[in-house]
Each structure stands twice: as structure tokens, then as C-alpha cells.
Amino acid sequence: MGLDPETDTPRANPWAPVQYFSNTQAPRLPRGLAQPEGANVLLTQVNKLLDWGRSASLWPATFGLACCAIEMMSASASRWDISRFGAEVFRASPRQADLMIVAGRLSVKMAPVLRRIYDQMPEPKWVISMGACASCGGVFNNYAIIQGVDKIVPVDIYVPGCPPPPDMLLQGLTMLQEKIRDHIPNPPDPLAFAESRYLGSED
Ligand code: SF4
């Protein structure tokens, strides 16, 4: 760190604001960690460590339905840079993804596909409903559009807006990270509750 030439005292850590605060100013201080006084060890629980690791390495499935998907793509570009939150690895295979961002309106015809992709994602997994259309049908109050994807998959976070800009998606992502770190379980599965399997499929 070196000495401050003016006061001849150890210089303060110039990176402290960056290390402890994200761009949204959410505190990043480790939670659930305890440092015994005078010891250079950290104590925690295995599940807290796992939750922390999962929250910082969310891999979204590549899945866009409508205009909101353009904003989702922007979130991964350099200006908003979703990789700052460890979620830049958009996977083409649901088997390698643990986050589904439903970005756009979901048609009745597409619902079985969405559900199938969700079912193919390994546990633990989470869902973000991005935009008014995904959350409640938006302006498309008609027979062709599902009036809320939470009728098909359990939604953990709703991001409002039409479209929500990328920074709102990032806010939803950080809220999901908080939820994972606090070990808050997924909401009930709507199809399991209705004792259904794939909506609209034969099997
Ligand atoms: S919420 Fe708005 S931007 Fe998003 S899919 Fe619907 S109409 Fe498009």
C-alpha cells in the first residue's frame, strides 16, 4: 500500500469503494461470515458458501421472446455489462443454465416450449419475468397470449416496464442474488400445483 508522502502514514486503500460497493451502491460486504478477533480465518457455513457461489455465477438460458429481449441483449453488451454480476454466460443449452429470463410476451403456442426448456434446466434454477407482457400479458389482453408466465413456470423476480431498460434487469438480477444468498426458496410450481405436466403436450 505504501506511505502517504504528505503525512508519512500508511495510505488508505484506494480501491475500497470499488471492492465494497457495486455500481448500484448495494453493499457487497460478506454476509454470514465471522472473523474471530485477532485471527486470520473466516468462519461460515457450507450452505452459505454455496449460496454465495451460486448467486455470483448465474448462467442465463439464451431465450428471448419479443422486444424485451433486445433490452436483455443490451444488458450483456459493454455499456451495462452484465458480466459485472457474474451472469454473462448465456448458454444455448438449458442443461448448462440455471437462470431463465422470460423476456417478452409468451404465446399459448410457445408455452409448452418454455416449460420444456425450464424442465430441462438442472436444479437449483430461477426465473426472472422481464417486462409487462411476461408478467401479466401487458397490452396483449387476448386469447393468444398467456396472461403472466407465472401460470407456466415459478417466477422468482418480476421486472416491470415496457420495455424495462437494461439497468432495471440488472436491478432484478441483484435482487435475485440477494434472494439466493438469503436462501429464500422458489415459489410453488404452478403446473405441479395443478398436477399437470407439460402444458399442451401429449406426454
Ligand atoms: S413489455 Fe413492451 S417491450 Fe416487452 S415484450 Fe411487451 S410490448 Fe415488448
Side-chain angles (χ1 to χ4, degrees), residues 66-68 103-105 130-133 139-140 161-164:
C67 7
C68 276
R105 54 191 169 270
M130 181 180 179
C133 287
V139 295
F140 302 98
C162 175

Side-chain angles (χ1 to χ4, degrees), residues 1-14:
M1 196 79 63
L3 295 178
D4 187 322
E6 290 182 5
T7 60
D8 207 28
T9 53
R11 234 193 316 242
N13 177 8

Side-chain angles (χ1 to χ4, degrees), residues 43-88:
L43 301 178
T44 187
Q45 295 163 332
V46 173
N47 66 344
K48 284 193 165 58
L49 193 64
L50 290 176
D51 289 340
W52 170 78
R54 283 170 178 153
S55 72
S57 60
L58 289 164
W59 288 11
T62 307
F63 193 71
L65 289 169
C67 7
C68 276
I70 303 296
E71 303 293 321
M72 180 181 69
M73 290 176 223
S74 303
S76 62
S78 54
R79 182 162 182 182
W80 284 280
D81 196 10
I82 202 171
S83 61
R84 290 175 296 155
F85 305 90
E88 78 277 26

Side-chain angles (χ1 to χ4, degrees), residues 129 131-141 145-149 151 158:
S129 169
C133 287
S135 300
C136 64
V139 295
F140 302 98
N141 185 10
I145 300 297
I146 301 281
Q147 301 297 300
V149 294
K151 294 179 174 58
Y158 297 86

